[in-house]
Amino acid sequence: MTRWEKNLAELGLTLPPVVAPVAAYIPAIRTGSLVYTSGQLPFVDGELSAVGKVGAEVSIEAAKEAARLCALNALAAVHDLVGLDAVVRIVKVVGFVASGPMWLCWVVVVVLGVCRFWVSCDGAAGGGFVVDVAAVRA
């Protein structure tokens, strides 16, 4: 059991299987000593856990859980590529959250939840930013 897996177990969590790409990308790629993950969606057993905009079709609590699932899916992709014990720290978190009108403050709360999740998994936090997405085009 890796250090990360031990920390996740203490939180009552396990790494999910790596989510199969739903478009033309790979879940994680290594360049030098850095690993980048592709955008992660809140998939559980092949299904999205939340669909819609925060503050409209998706509650704040459901959005926080969806963001945590995205973080777990990113960890699974990294673990599959290099093993989590090779990870020294999370350098950057980027969050894109679809929200209804007037919900920007909650968008930040959702992504801050992910940052707190990283800290509870590893004890360190990196930088990052959040983007409120009013509409996503296919």
Side-chain angles (χ1 to χ4, degrees):
M1 179 180 283
T2 71
R3 169 180 57 93
W4 285 81
E5 288 171 316
K6 181 178 179 244
N7 291 345
L8 288 169
E10 289 174 5
L11 296 171
L13 302 170
T14 58
L15 285 176
V18 176
V19 175
V22 294
Y25 65 87
I26 56 174
I29 189 167
R30 181 179 184 163
T31 181
S33 62
L34 296 176
V35 174
Y36 292 88
T37 60
S38 297
Q40 301 293 321
L41 295 171
F43 279 109
V44 177
D45 298 326
E47 299 289 325
L48 287 170
S49 69
V51 177
K53 293 184 177 185
V54 177
E57 302 86 5
V58 179
S59 71
I60 298 301
E61 290 307 314
K64 287 181 184 178
E65 175 61 17
R68 189 177 66 84
L69 289 169
C70 291
L72 274 172
N73 288 338
L75 285 178
V78 171
H79 184 62
D80 188 58
L81 182 66
V82 298
L84 285 177
D85 278 345
V87 175
V88 175
R89 73 173 302 164
I90 303 297
V91 176
K92 182 177 177 181
V93 174
V94 177
F96 289 82
V97 180
S99 68
M102 306 304 289
W103 283 86
L104 181 57
C105 63
W106 290 114
V107 170
V108 174
V109 167
V110 168
V111 177
L112 281 176
V114 172
C115 293
R116 288 187 186 108
F117 174 72
W118 291 130
V119 170
S120 64
C121 290
D122 188 46
F129 64 90
V130 59
V131 177
D132 178 26
V133 181
V136 178
R137 299 188 188 270

